[in-house]
Amino acid sequence: MNKQSIKLSVDAVVFGYEEGIISVLLIKRKYEPFKGKWAIPGGFVLNDETLECAVERELQEETGIKINYLEQLYSFGDPERDPRGRIVSIAYFGLVRPNAFKIFASTDASEVEWFNIKELPELSFDHENILDLAIKRLQGKITYEPIGFELLDKKFPFSDLEKLYVTLLGRDIDRRNFRKKIISFNVLDELNEKVSKGSGRPANLFQFNKKRYFQLKKEGIIFEI
Amino acid sequence: MNKQSIKLSVDAVVFGYEEGIISVLLIKRKYEPFKGKWAIPGGFVLNDETLECAVERELQEETGIKINYLEQLYSFGDPERDPRGRIVSIAYFGLVRPNAFKIFASTDASEVEWFNIKELPELSFDHENILDLAIKRLQGKITYEPIGFELLDKKFPFSDLEKLYVTLLGRDIDRRNFRKKIISFNVLDELNEKVSKGSGRPANLFQFNKKRYFQLKKEGIIFEI
DNA sequence: TTCATATGCGTAATTTAAACACAAAAATAA
DNA sequence: TTATTTTTGTGTTTAAATTACGCATATGAA
């Protein structure tokens, strides 16, 4: 058999959210190809690490971030996708609470920045395709899995959750029906803490109960917006 | 940087359906490791072929089958998954009409056989995990994408479709409501042909209109059971 | 001719989702 | 101090979708 000369990399589309803005973490490439251009963080998989480890390592090295939620997105294998040769990339999709970490650039990255997904720069390789797919996945997934909480603070008022969904789904939601629906899934703990932002009645804080969610999931109860 | 020595393979879980039985195509391995054991068809990706081409080539070589529907399933990269060394496999998920092809074994396979997914043999590598995931994907996907038709004859009576769904979902369906729902999606052409199987009123034949489905999908209409 | 079997079409009951109204608690303005 | 604005919290009413179910029709078999 011919000797295979395919290299394997991982890439990670990391989303953050704050105040009605979904952002994605990009790095500016320090080396060729696409030197000086923005790209999704990622890099080659080491011989003895799992794919997830590779993603976490690359993110730590290039951006200093530690991921909150990570799942595999898709594998991209077009022979022409990388000018250096045949590089197949397994793309991941991650969520973080942006204010929880200080980002910094190092190794292959000369800069790291959060970009509003509505105002993206031109990207390297086929990273635009990867990012598009990740956005679709995020938008789809929040309607049937409670991953939105991974983007909010641990304790949050209901209005934050609602605003996140409005932003992600890109359409208005009836506040009262939304609240009823979420409450009915029984995965939120209501805390005895209130928070006041400016004027208006102070809001009660809620917390996502992941343990309870997994119990309900086992019993076949489905989270669906 | 250390020289990467990871090999890349593709594997395909191919499902067929006939008379209330979902089956999966397996090969018996001709060579070590796992010589003589059953496995999902697959093999190494060539340097200049796309991943989909690799899957189709391997299926053709090992089993003689041509796939009807193919989509990427998941990538498996555990460093310990293959005793030969680090081999990352990108798994695909395919559907065929089993009576449409004559299967035969060649190259790496000493035998090829359709197995009822309820009566599976022990499998090589981590192929049991891959197969489990594929079954879940199939069961999930038929409820929101009209892929079930890819398993039926081009022209089929409604009862065939219903039986397929009962088999895949593992629960009873109200025949009349099911029919109404499917009809309401407007993706079936009713033909002026009838077919009679044994006793009972002859059934009208239907045909899936893929073109119409893509039109409706563009308009945002969702197929959901 | 009658019976068993599977198809095809319809309506009623129930459940779920969507639309909508107003009270409560705080900051701000008069 | 009092009225006004703003945001939160809790309903109820109406429309839509789902589920349950009844019965006529066309065939093969007894």
Side-chain angles (χ1 to χ4, degrees), chain B residues 184-204:
Chain B
S184 75
F185 293 125
N186 211 34
V187 294
L188 290 189
D189 293 331
E190 187 164 5
L191 306 172
N192 279 326
E193 291 178 62
K194 293 196 191 302
V195 69
S196 187
K197 340 185 225 216
S199 81
R201 179 174 174 170
N204 232 308

Side-chain angles (χ1 to χ4, degrees), chain A residues 2-210:
Chain A
N2 252 341
K3 181 77 189 126
Q4 195 187 61
S5 65
I6 301 178
K7 279 193 160 189
L8 190 69
S9 71
V10 289
D11 288 305
V13 179
V14 177
F15 292 107
Y17 169 81
E18 231 166 354
E19 319 244 343
I21 292 169
I22 310 282
S23 41
V24 64
L25 194 66
L26 298 179
I27 61 153
K28 188 174 264 184
R29 290 179 57 81
K30 202 190 265 181
Y31 308 111
E32 293 291 351
F34 299 103
K35 182 177 169 182
K37 244 191 165 180
W38 293 97
I40 294 165
F44 293 109
V45 179
L46 301 182
N47 290 331
D48 53 2
E49 68 182 348
T50 65
L51 302 172
E52 285 75 15
C53 286
V55 174
E56 281 165 12
R57 178 182 52 74
E58 289 285 350
L59 279 174
Q60 177 62 39
E61 283 176 13
E62 292 183 337
T63 72
I65 222 159
K66 271 180 191 149
I67 215 76
N68 198 16
Y69 172 89
L70 189 70
E71 71 172 45
Q72 200 183 97
L73 177 65
Y74 198 79
S75 298
F76 294 81
D78 188 317
E80 311 295 331
R81 63 178 294 278
D82 194 309
R84 289 168 291 185
R86 185 75 195 272
I87 298 176
V88 172
S89 181
I90 302 181
Y92 279 75
F93 155 92
L95 304 176
V96 294
R97 304 188 170 101
N99 56 355
F101 297 97
K102 195 88 199 146
I103 55 174
F104 58 85
S106 65
T107 63
D108 299 341
S110 64
E111 289 181 48
V112 187
E113 218 175 291
W114 287 105
F115 282 83
N116 183 335
I117 60 165
K118 301 280 177 196
E119 299 161 11
L120 291 169
E122 213 180 315
L123 295 179
S124 315
F125 308 102
D126 55 355
H127 288 188
E128 195 177 321
N129 292 337
I130 300 179
L131 189 45
D132 283 350
L133 187 65
I135 292 171
K136 280 192 195 116
R137 176 86 133 246
L138 174 60
Q139 288 175 332
K141 199 134 190 179
I142 51 154
T143 67
Y144 65 90
E145 296 243 8
I147 58 172
F149 304 107
E150 313 289 345
L151 288 166
L152 299 176
D153 290 331
K154 281 225 170 91
K155 301 173 180 184
F156 57 86
F158 229 100
S159 53
D160 275 14
L161 185 65
E162 188 204 329
K163 196 170 185 183
L164 171 65
Y165 271 82
V166 168
T167 306
L168 278 172
L169 300 179
R171 60 178 164 82
D172 270 20
I173 293 176
D174 184 282
R175 181 171 56 88
R176 296 153 290 187
N177 293 335
F178 179 74
R179 188 184 178 111
K180 259 181 292 182
K181 197 166 213 170
I182 298 282
I183 295 281
S184 76
F185 293 126
N186 212 32
V187 294
L188 290 189
D189 293 331
E190 186 164 4
L191 306 173
N192 279 325
E193 292 177 62
K194 294 196 190 303
V195 69
S196 186
K197 332 186 230 220
S199 82
R201 179 174 173 171
N204 231 309
L205 290 177
F206 288 82
Q207 189 164 357
F208 177 56
N209 191 325
K210 205 179 271 193

Side-chain angles (χ1 to χ4, degrees), chain B residues 132-144:
Chain B
D132 283 351
L133 187 65
I135 292 172
K136 281 193 193 112
R137 177 86 131 244
L138 174 60
Q139 288 175 334
K141 200 134 189 178
I142 51 155
T143 68
Y144 64 89

Side-chain angles (χ1 to χ4, degrees), chain B residues 122-168:
Chain B
E122 213 180 313
L123 295 178
S124 315
F125 308 102
D126 55 355
H127 287 188
E128 194 177 321
N129 291 337
I130 300 179
L131 188 44
D132 283 351
L133 187 65
I135 292 172
K136 281 193 193 112
R137 177 86 131 244
L138 174 60
Q139 288 175 334
K141 200 134 189 178
I142 51 155
T143 68
Y144 64 89
E145 296 243 8
I147 57 171
F149 304 107
E150 313 289 345
L151 288 166
L152 299 176
D153 289 332
K154 281 224 169 96
K155 301 172 180 183
F156 56 87
F158 230 101
S159 53
D160 275 14
L161 185 64
E162 188 203 329
K163 197 171 185 183
L164 171 64
Y165 271 83
V166 168
T167 306
L168 277 171

